[in-house]
Each structure stands twice: as structure tokens, then as C-alpha cells.
Amino acid sequence: MNSSLLDFSPEPDLYPLYPTTAHIAVQLSSHSGLNPDQKAKLVRHCLTRACVFGELSILQYVFSDPQAHPFIDLAMRDEDGVGLVSLTIQGFGAESERDVEREECVRLLIAQGADLSADKDGWTPLHYAALLSPPTLVSHLMTHGCSPFDVTRRKLTPLDIVSAHSILPGRGDVALLVEEAMRGEGWTGGRLEDKRRILDERMKRKGKQQSIREDVGQALGIHPRWWNSDLDEFNLSDDSDSEQEEEGEEDYSLYTPPLDYTNMIVFSPPSLPAIFESLITNYPPSFRNPQPANLLYMLARFACLTCDHNWLEDFMLGATEAIEDNFFNRPEDITVLVFWLYNTTIWLHLMQCDKSISEICEMLGSFELIEETINSVFVFIIRLAERKIDELLDSALLNYSSLGSEFESVQFESEQWSFLRPFTGKKKAVPPPTSTNSTMRGPPSPLPIRPPSPSPSGSSFSSIRQSFRARASSSTTTPLQALFSENSQTPSPSHLTSYLTALHTFLTLSDINPALITQLWSQVMYWTSSELFNRVLTRKKYICRSRAVQISMNLGVIEEWVGQMGLPRGVQSHFSPVRDLLNWLQCLSSISEFPDLVATIQTMKSINPLQMRRAVRDYKYEVNEGRMNEECIQYLTQLQKDWERHRVKLGVEALRKEVMNDRDHDGSVSSSMPNESPESGNSSILSTGSTDALAAQEAIDLLFDQGTEKSNWEPAQPPQVLGELLDSRYMLPLIFPSDPRMLSARPGKIPVHEDDKRSPLPTPDPTRSASRASNGSRGAMTWHSRSHKVREISSGALKWIDGAVSASRWGRLVPDEELGDVGDVEHHGRSETSEEEHAAETENGLQVDTRITPLTRKRSARKARASLGGGETTPVELQI
């Protein structure tokens, strides 16, 4: 072999790891021995590496070297179609100290005419720059050929890259820059921007929902686990358009499912106690969970359609008793009360809307049992609210003064010479002279128990100087810390409305029927009005002009709260007696002429002469305050006599009516009427029977009429009071809507003020009157239909019915002792089957373990309720 043909010189390094300008100059020189293809590879490698690492010096040398110009390809791309500009931009953020040099590399490439087209995925340099580079480079790209409207293969613009669902952290300025550039060219918003805006609104709404949860839970003592994370749709916005479409659509298959076992749950009477224990007693209450109502409905449907009437009676009696025992054992737990009020209402809705069982259930009194259960839990919630209001009633409404400095200077005639009392401590009090009107007083009214007055500190003689000192120290001296703690410790009407708001919000969020919510607040406001009225009238310290003004201002906060919560204005009508009494106390001392007295009495329709006369008799006159003349007092005395004769007449008529209608109770009525106050018989005195019932039913139905204004709706009213005090124990009737479909209605949105940044719970606005606040929407109340939603039930709900036998299918292992007990029961059941049935099962060698439970005809042992069916089964053909 000829050695002269062999070339042992090293191969040129065309892909240097760290290229330098000196190395590039040597390799590109004419005497380097590289052919044009090798020089092109060298230049291509150096350009690529300079773009990847942001080496500005290499780029500047390549673009300035005349020997490299023929080999420069600014349109070169890698295997993914990424160009030099995009390749350079992809390095931003890797080495932040070189970002300035890298940006200059991009500007140099653009100045030299580098390709700015998209890669294989449709990403342009602007897409990468929006995601990685500073805003200055983004602006430079948009002014040198990159369009913000370019889209990728997935139809994404550069703005979508940084703000598709939410703006990427640190890219807000870039998003604003690109968005303004697009809007400058006529862009008004895209699909992803709409989605992002909707998502932002949803996130804000969820944040507001979480704040409401925390505030309501703190005010009512609700555990956080009550709020079910799966049911996260609150009534803060009008998001129920799809549900509202159900109105007007008659879907009988929805209300009356097919007559087959797919809409029933089969059970046997011996298993009822275990079912009730699992489904009712041990069922954990949760937020807006209608599963117990649906399961009870499917169980009742099986008993009604396939079994005799005794099965249905046993089931209904046992279920209602178990529900009552559940909340009777936990009367202070608001979550238990609201949970079962919600489920019993839905249960009644499902039962009454099902035409296949409604008739027989009506005949057997099943609906009455459910309604009684609803009424019981309804009363428990009312009593819970009344106890809380009672704690704040005196301090927040009767004693609180928003204008304390103005009322401190008020002096009364009875206290004008009170500093001389220490001189006469041992003397007997001289009774006041008996007036001519003292014999005309009515029967004494029962006064509330009051603590005894404090006794004098000492019985020894005191000097005048000591008396003045004691008087000054007891009346004017105030501890320094009390001056600063008064506002934080003294309850005000806002403390009371905060609790009422929390309870109303909780009922609304829990989807309690709006008609029940309205009647609940109607009852609570009636009780509050009665208690206020009785305490003002029976406590002499409140029977004065200054206290009447103070209480009237506090009462206005409660009346305004009713309007702020969107309740009908008729709920405020229960405050009419208190309002009239306070107005009477404010004006009675200024009435000096008989015509003025007559005109004033005619305007006060809610108080009677007995109440007016007592207020005049116990009135505390201020110093230099005017008084009624003798003519006016005599007129009030005559009115009192006429009213007492009217009371006796009505009492006799009521007694006769009671004897005629119900002779079994004539003894009790005759013994109570002459001795007790007439309030106890008011319901029988003035009730008009079916007329009042029809009027109350019509009023509830008007709540669901969108054409009824809030100002025109009136709730059920208590009987007229004939004595001095109101009967705060009287319960207004609980009326259900005549259309059973309305039982599934849910309340409208919660009134939340956008300007309340501190607390999301709605608070009364002092600048807004109650009359304007209550007319914010059409109809007497806002509500939405949800007939489909309350019927949604998952297969997992069956675990509350199956018990231990099928518990392993629902995620928990069955203990051996439970299986042993079940096996004994099943063995005992099989031993009762006949030999013929067992032989038929084992015929042809195939054995099928079948358990047949015979129908029972035994009567219910829970309550003595007559069976109307006589043990006959309901003739229904099932589609199996």
C-alpha cells in the first residue's frame, strides 16, 4: 500500500462545545482546508449554540464576519420546526443574570431578518415571549412583525397562553400589554377570556360562600363538617335558570314513576326497626341532603302498592316516631332540626305528588302524620330562636339607647326629690290619694317575677352633706373602664339582627321551603312583639315618653331587618300593637282637648281601651310635662267600662258556642272562662271556622303567585285581644301550599350587599327604609322550582337500608358476630318453609336459596289508629 495516499491529519472540529471567535475565525479562513459544506455546518452550529445560551458576542462576530456571511441561514429550524428567535426566547429564566444579553440577541436576530413564523405546533416567537420573556421584548416583537392574533394548532393566542383560566403568576403585565394591543386593533374578547371571566366570578362566589359558611357557623355554633363539599351551589346568584324551566311543564312521569320495583325499596316488617335505626336515628345530618326523604318515599311506595294497609300504617307510624325521637333528643342542635325539616317537607312533597299512592295515603291519614312531624320540628326551631331573642330582648331593645346623652338629662316628677329619701327611711310610705278612677280598674294582670328592690344600706341618721355625697356617687360616678367597655359589652339591636340574619341565611342556604321560612319569621315576630308589648306595659320604668322614643327607634331596626331579608311586609304587621302603644305613650301627655283624644284613639286600631287606660294610669311624667285634662280621663274610663261589658258579652257567646259544638269540654270551658283572663279563649271567641282557614290557605298560596306584591300579602293574624296583655304563647297555624309541587320550592338568592367588605352576611342598611327594601322583586317572595333536583339519589344510599347483610358491598367489612346473628335469623326463616317448597327448589339438582316473607295482617302496636282498609291489599298490577 502506498503510504503517500494516507492522510493522518485530525478531523476538523465542526461542533465545538465552547466556540470562540478565534476558533471560528481560524476555521472559516481560506487556508483552513474546510470545504463549503463543513463551513456551513460550523456556522449553523455556532448560531444555534449562541441562541441557546444567549452568547451575544458569538452572534455579533458571525454577523460581522464577511467569511461567514455566505453560510448564514436565518430561516434554519430544528426537528420541531423551532426557529432561531424562538430558540433564543426559550432560554429566558434559566439564567436570570444573562436575560439582558439574551434579549439583545433576540433584537439582533430580528434586525438581521430572522424568520418569525410559527413552528410545527403553531407557536410563534410571541407565544414563547408572552410566556417567558419580559414585557419589553414582547412589545418589540409585536412592533416587528409578530401578530397577537396568531393562534396555535389548538386555537390559542398569546393572551390565551398566559390567561386561559387564570393569569399566570408574574405575567399580569404581559397579559395587560397583549390585551391592550389586541383591543387597539378592534378585538372585543374571545372564548377563553369569557371562560376565564366566568371562572373568576365563580371563584369569587365560592370565596363569598366560604365566608358565609364561617360567619353562619360561628353565629349558630355549626360544625364545619355540616357543610357538604359535594353540594356547593349556594343561592348567592340567580343560577337556577335551568331549574326555573320546570315551571309550567307537566311531567307526570316525574311525579308518578312507573309502577315497578325500580322505584320501590322492598322491606319486611321485622326489618323496620333496623331500617329506622340506620336511616333515621343514626343518619348523620348534612347540608341539603334529601336521601332520607327519597328512601322513605320509596319504602312507603312499596308498602302502599304491594302490601296491605297495615304495612303502610306500621311504616308511617314508625318512621314519624323515629324522626320525632331524633330531634326531641337534640332540641338545641339547629343542624338536626333544619335537616329533618328539610327532609320531612321533601317527603311530603314526594308522597302527595305521586298520584298512584296519594289517594290511599290521604284516606289512611299518612299525610297528617308527616304534617304533624313537620309542625313539631317547626315549633322546635321557633322555640330555639325565641330563647336566643329572649336573652337579648331587654338589653338590646328595651334598655339600649342610641341617644344616651340626650336621655340622661331627663328628670321625672317622682324622682325630683329623691335625695331626701334617706331622711325618711324609717317612715311608712304614705299611700297616694285614691282617685275617682281607681274603682274602675280591670282585673289585675299577671306581672312577671321581678327581683326585690335593694334595701337601704343603713338605717342611721345621715347628714345633708353625706346624703348629697351618696347621691352623687351612686348616680354620676362611673368607673373608668366602664366608659370604654360599654359599647363592646352592651348588646344593641345590631347584635339581635346579626343572630336573626345568621338564622335566616342558614335556613335559606339549607333550601327550606320559602313558605315555611315566611311563616317561621311571622311567628317569631309575633312572639317578639307580644313580649315587647307585655314588658313595656307591665314595667313602669318604660311607661314614659323618653323610653317610648328610645324603644321605638330600636324596634325600627327589627322592622327594617324584615325588609332587608326580602320577607313580605305583612310580617311586620305583628308589630302594630307595640307601635301603637309606643305612639300612645309619646302623645298622651300632649292631648289636652277632647277632639284630639278621639282622633288619636281612632288611629290606633291595634290596642284596646284597657291597654290605653293602664298606660295612662302608670305613666311617669317628666318635669314640666303636660297632662290630660279631667274630661279626657273620664272618656277613657267610660271606654274601659264599655269594653269590659263587651268582653263579658263575647265570653258568654263563646261559652254557648263551645257547649253547642263540643259538649265534652263544656266543664273545662265554663270553669276557665270566668276566672282566667279572656286571652285564653280568644281563639274560640273570634274564630270563624272554615272562613279563617280558607283565608289562611289563600294567603299561603299567594306567596307563590308572582303577581302578588309584597306590600299586599298579609299573614295569619292572632285572635283579637280583649284584656290588657298579649298572649305570646299563641301559635299561628302552620299552613302548607295547596299545590304539593310547591313543597319542593327553594328560596331565592340571599340579599348580600356588595359594599359590605368586612362580613358577607347581609346587614340592614340604615339609609334604606323597610318599605323600599321589601319591594325589590316581583311576587310576595322569591322562590325557584327544583322538582328534578330533589329526586336525585345515588346507589350508595342503599347502604342505609341494607344493613349488615350487604354492608361489605358499601365499603366496610361485616363483623363475624353480625353475620352470625344474621345467619341464625335466615336459618330460622328457612326452617319455616314447607317441605314442598324446598323440594321444588331442589328439583333437577338446582338449588336456589329463596326466602319468602308472608304478608302480615297484624295491627300496628305503636299507636291506636283504625285501619280503613280492613286488611285488603291494594290492587295494583306491577310491571316486572
Side-chain angles (χ1 to χ4, degrees):
M1 180 179 296
N2 190 359
S3 60
S4 61
L5 299 178
L6 298 177
D7 187 5
F8 293 99
S9 60
E11 288 288 335
D13 187 8
L14 302 179
Y15 303 97
L17 185 60
Y18 298 102
T20 62
T21 56
H23 177 74
I24 297 174
V26 172
Q27 296 294 335
L28 293 180
S29 62
S30 58
H31 57 272
S32 63
L34 298 181
N35 57 40
D37 293 338
Q38 290 176 331
K39 291 183 179 180
K41 291 180 181 180
L42 177 62
V43 172
R44 181 185 182 93
H45 170 74
C46 292
L47 284 176
T48 304
R49 180 172 176 80
C51 292
V52 170
F53 293 97
E55 296 178 352
L56 180 61
S57 60
I58 301 296
L59 283 180
Q60 289 177 342
Y61 178 80
V62 171
F63 288 133
S64 61
D65 187 4
Q67 297 182 2
H69 282 179
F71 309 106
I72 296 176
D73 183 12
L74 295 178
M76 57 182 286
R77 297 176 178 273
D78 61 8
E79 60 274 9
D80 295 325
V82 179
L84 293 176
V85 177
S86 298
L87 193 64
T88 308
I89 295 174
Q90 288 178 2
F92 276 101
E95 297 180 10
S96 58
E97 65 276 3
R98 298 181 62 90
D99 283 352
V100 176
E101 187 176 355
R102 185 176 296 275
E103 183 175 352
E104 292 300 323
C105 291
V106 176
R107 293 175 181 268
L108 179 59
L109 288 170
I110 295 175
Q112 294 296 329
D115 187 13
L116 299 178
S117 59
D119 57 16
K120 294 181 179 179
D121 293 327
W123 283 57
T124 64
L126 186 58
H127 286 86
Y128 292 107
L131 189 62
L132 301 171
S133 67
T136 54
L137 184 57
V138 174
S139 177
H140 184 78
L141 287 170
M142 287 191 296
T143 57
H144 288 80
C146 288
S147 173
F149 294 99
D150 291 336
V151 295
T152 64
R153 290 173 54 187
R154 297 189 177 183
K155 308 301 181 182
L156 299 176
T157 64
L159 180 61
D160 297 333
I161 298 297
V162 295
S163 61
H165 298 290
S166 61
I167 298 178
L168 293 178
R171 310 306 294 174
D173 49 355
V174 174
L176 180 61
L177 179 63
V178 177
E179 182 179 357
E180 291 300 324
M182 297 174 68
R183 294 189 183 277
E185 299 183 21
W187 180 76
T188 58
R191 174 177 53 87
L192 288 180
E193 186 190 13
D194 294 339
K195 288 185 178 180
R196 178 174 56 84
R197 185 176 62 255
I198 294 174
L199 181 61
D200 291 342
E201 294 176 356
R202 186 176 301 174
M203 295 301 295
K204 292 180 181 179
R205 186 163 62 248
K206 285 187 176 181
K208 191 178 297 183
Q209 293 168 6
Q210 185 63 28
S211 299
I212 289 181
R213 287 180 179 182
E214 295 174 356
D215 291 347
V216 172
Q218 183 179 3
L220 302 180
I222 300 173
H223 197 276
R225 67 170 174 264
W226 158 263
W227 309 104
N228 194 352
S229 59
D230 295 336
L231 303 174
D232 205 16
E233 287 296 330
F234 274 65
N235 302 349
L236 289 175
S237 62
D238 229 350
D239 56 357
S240 58
D241 296 337
S242 60
E243 296 178 3
Q244 196 68 22
E245 293 176 359
E246 297 177 5
E247 299 181 19
E249 297 181 3
E250 290 293 339
D251 189 359
Y252 294 102
S253 62
L254 172 68
Y255 299 112
T256 305
L259 302 179
D260 54 25
Y261 285 108
T262 60
N263 297 281
M264 304 179 194
I265 296 180
V266 180
F267 69 93
S268 62
S271 64
L272 282 181
I275 292 176
F276 293 152
E277 182 179 3
S278 175
L279 181 59
I280 298 176
T281 305
N282 297 330
Y283 195 93
S286 57
F287 176 63
R288 286 198 291 193
N289 183 6
Q291 284 191 358
N294 282 275
L295 295 175
L296 290 172
Y297 161 66
M298 297 174 75
L299 290 167
R301 201 165 192 262
F302 168 75
C304 186
L305 295 178
T306 64
C307 308
D308 66 10
H309 301 158
N310 290 325
W311 280 47
L312 181 61
E313 286 184 351
D314 289 341
F315 172 77
M316 296 300 299
L317 290 172
T320 53
E321 286 181 357
I323 294 174
E324 289 182 353
D325 291 341
N326 195 341
F327 60 77
F328 264 85
N329 294 330
R330 291 184 285 181
E332 300 294 332
D333 194 342
I334 186 63
T335 59
V336 174
L337 299 177
V338 170
F339 175 76
W340 284 112
L341 178 61
Y342 172 69
N343 273 274
T344 49
T345 307
I346 297 301
W347 186 21
L348 181 62
H349 160 73
L350 298 174
M351 297 278 287
Q352 288 186 343
C353 289
D354 192 342
K355 299 300 182 183
S356 63
I357 65 174
S358 59
E359 184 177 355
I360 186 63
C361 290
E362 180 71 24
M363 182 177 63
L364 294 178
S366 302
F367 296 155
E368 296 179 3
L369 291 176
I370 304 177
E371 291 174 356
E372 291 173 0
T373 305
I374 296 175
N375 185 73
S376 297
V377 67
F378 183 79
V379 172
F380 268 79
I381 298 176
I382 291 175
R383 294 292 179 250
L384 187 64
E386 290 175 353
R387 286 193 293 271
K388 182 63 177 180
I389 296 174
D390 186 60
E391 297 176 2
L392 301 173
L393 197 61
D394 287 349
S395 56
L397 294 183
L398 294 178
N399 299 328
Y400 177 79
S401 176
S402 58
L403 303 175
S405 59
E406 297 185 8
F407 292 113
E408 287 179 357
S409 59
V410 176
Q411 294 183 352
F412 299 95
E413 293 181 353
S414 59
E415 300 176 356
Q416 189 174 9
W417 301 98
S418 58
F419 68 93
L420 295 177
R421 288 178 183 174
F423 297 100
T424 59
K426 292 184 178 181
K427 296 182 180 180
K428 295 183 179 180
V430 180
T434 304
S435 63
T436 57
N437 298 330
S438 61
T439 59
M440 305 309 297
R441 295 178 183 176
S445 303
L447 297 177
I449 300 176
R450 300 179 62 183
S453 301
S455 58
S457 58
S459 57
S460 60
F461 182 82
S462 301
S463 65
I464 296 180
R465 179 176 299 177
Q466 293 175 346
S467 300
F468 276 108
R469 287 179 178 177
R471 177 65 176 173
S473 62
S474 62
S475 60
T476 61
T477 303
T478 304
L480 184 61
Q481 61 270 19
L483 296 176
F484 298 96
S485 62
E486 180 179 0
N487 293 333
S488 59
Q489 298 296 332
T490 303
S492 63
S494 61
H495 290 80
L496 180 56
T497 55
S498 297
Y499 172 79
L500 299 180
T501 301
L503 181 57
H504 179 75
T505 305
F506 183 60
L507 295 174
T508 304
L509 296 181
S510 301
D511 276 357
I512 301 300
N513 189 276
L516 297 184
I517 294 179
T518 301
Q519 294 181 81
L520 183 144
W521 288 121
S522 178
Q523 176 66 47
V524 170
M525 294 306 158
Y526 166 73
W527 179 89
T528 305
S529 172
S530 300
E531 285 295 317
L532 279 175
F533 186 94
N534 295 340
R535 297 183 190 189
V536 170
L537 194 61
T538 56
R539 300 177 185 178
K540 293 185 178 181
K541 64 178 182 179
Y542 299 129
I543 307 181
C544 60
R545 181 173 58 184
S546 58
R547 283 298 185 96
V549 174
Q550 166 188 317
I551 297 172
S552 180
M553 295 175 61
N554 298 336
L555 182 62
V557 176
I558 306 300
E559 292 177 334
E560 187 175 350
W561 176 88
V562 174
Q564 290 286 345
M565 293 298 103
L567 297 172
R569 289 189 60 192
V571 176
Q572 303 178 17
S573 63
H574 296 300
F575 291 110
S576 297
V578 185
R579 184 60 68 185
D580 285 353
L581 176 61
L582 297 176
N583 292 336
W584 175 249
L585 292 176
Q586 295 178 52
C587 69
L588 67 87
S589 61
S590 62
I591 299 177
S592 58
E593 300 294 335
F594 179 73
D596 297 338
L597 175 63
V598 175
T600 303
I601 292 177
Q602 290 178 351
T603 60
M604 298 181 179
K605 306 293 184 181
S606 301
I607 55 177
N608 59 45
L610 290 181
Q611 298 162 346
M612 293 183 180
R613 184 67 182 90
R614 177 163 181 168
V616 174
R617 182 189 64 197
D618 298 336
Y619 187 80
K620 290 176 58 178
Y621 287 93
E622 301 174 4
V623 177
N624 299 326
E625 184 179 2
R627 293 175 179 267
M628 273 191 183
N629 57 25
E630 189 65 24
E631 182 183 8
C632 295
I633 295 178
Q634 291 180 0
Y635 180 72
L636 287 177
T637 304
Q638 185 62 38
L639 287 180
Q640 180 182 2
K641 293 180 181 180
D642 297 340
W643 186 260
E644 289 180 345
R645 286 195 294 268
H646 180 62
R647 290 173 59 193
V648 174
K649 181 180 178 180
L650 292 180
V652 173
E653 293 179 357
L655 185 60
R656 292 176 181 174
K657 193 176 299 183
E658 287 289 335
V659 172
M660 294 176 59
N661 296 337
D662 193 359
R663 296 189 179 184
D664 294 337
H665 301 281
D666 56 353
S668 62
V669 173
S670 60
S671 61
S672 62
M673 288 297 297
N675 298 326
E676 296 183 0
S677 60
E679 289 85 357
S680 61
N682 284 341
S683 60
S684 60
I685 292 176
L686 298 176
S687 63
T688 58
S690 60
T691 304
D692 290 345
L694 291 176
Q697 183 65 62
E698 183 180 359
I700 296 301
D701 292 337
L702 286 177
L703 287 174
F704 297 95
D705 185 5
Q706 298 296 333
T708 304
E709 296 293 337
K710 291 182 180 180
S711 58
N712 298 332
W713 184 83
E714 291 294 335
Q717 295 295 331
Q720 183 182 5
V721 177
L722 302 179
E724 290 183 347
L725 302 182
L726 304 183
D727 185 9
S728 60
R729 298 170 298 175
Y730 178 81
M731 290 297 297
L732 301 175
L734 176 60
I735 308 297
F736 299 93
S738 57
D739 188 354
R741 295 176 299 175
M742 297 298 102
L743 289 172
S744 67
R746 69 177 179 90
K749 63 179 181 179
I750 304 172
V752 179
H753 293 283
E754 299 296 337
D755 55 348
D756 189 3
K757 304 298 183 183
R758 181 183 58 84
S759 174
L761 288 183
T763 54
D765 187 358
T767 63
R768 197 175 166 206
S769 64
S771 60
R772 289 180 294 169
S774 61
N775 289 325
S777 60
R778 293 185 56 194
M781 65 179 184
T782 56
W783 60 277
H784 303 290
S785 176
R786 47 158 195 179
S787 298
H788 288 87
K789 188 175 182 180
V790 297
R791 287 168 168 79
E792 296 177 358
I793 185 172
S794 62
S795 59
L798 294 178
K799 66 181 180 181
W800 303 104
I801 301 295
D802 289 350
V805 178
S806 303
S808 58
R809 295 184 300 169
W810 308 109
R812 72 176 180 88
L813 298 178
V814 183
D816 295 336
E817 55 271 15
E818 293 186 14
L819 289 177
D821 298 339
V822 174
D824 296 340
V825 174
E826 291 181 352
H827 177 73
H828 177 69
R830 285 195 298 266
S831 64
E832 296 179 355
T833 60
S834 62
E835 295 181 359
E836 293 79 2
E837 294 175 351
H838 183 71
E841 294 171 358
T842 58
E843 186 178 0
N844 299 326
L846 178 62
Q847 182 176 358
V848 180
D849 189 6
T850 305
R851 180 181 177 187
I852 301 177
T853 303
L855 297 180
T856 178
R857 296 183 183 273
K858 296 181 180 179
R859 302 187 62 80
S860 173
R862 303 177 188 273
K863 292 183 181 179
R865 179 179 291 275
S867 177
L868 302 179
E872 299 179 358
T873 59
T874 306
V876 176
E877 297 181 359
L878 296 181
Q879 303 172 0
I880 301 176

